[in-house]
Amino acid sequence: MLRNPLLIEKLNDHPELVSEQTDQHYTITSVSWRAYEALLSDLGDDFLGLRVHYLEGTLEITMQCR
């Protein structure tokens, strides 16, 4: 399970982004560019240590341990 409950809350606001959870990595396929931009807008600058990557419909979210 992702360790950042605020991230889970933000992801739950985007029902089109559904995937299996793992400890530090979240991968979602078939994501539209519009959904990706909406998620970035919602996340803002509140999530230090969070990496979000998008390529050809695949969204990857990685939590970085410090």
Side-chain angles (χ1 to χ4, degrees):
M1 184 172 189
L2 288 173
R3 295 180 186 176
N4 190 324
L6 293 176
L7 173 60
I8 295 298
E9 182 179 318
K10 291 292 185 184
L11 288 172
N12 287 334
D13 290 340
H14 296 273
E16 70 277 14
L17 304 179
V18 177
S19 179
E20 294 296 317
Q21 296 180 24
T22 62
D23 189 35
Q24 294 292 318
H25 188 84
Y26 203 94
T27 300
I28 306 155
T29 58
S30 301
V31 176
S32 70
W33 181 257
R34 186 178 202 166
Y36 168 65
E37 287 186 320
L39 177 65
L40 288 182
S41 176
D42 282 352
L43 290 175
D45 295 328
D46 296 333
F47 295 94
L48 295 175
L50 180 72
R51 300 274 179 162
V52 180
H53 301 277
Y54 180 89
L55 179 64
E56 297 177 359
T58 299
L59 177 66
E60 292 184 353
I61 302 170
T62 305
M63 299 289 292
Q64 294 186 328
C65 297
R66 294 182 185 252

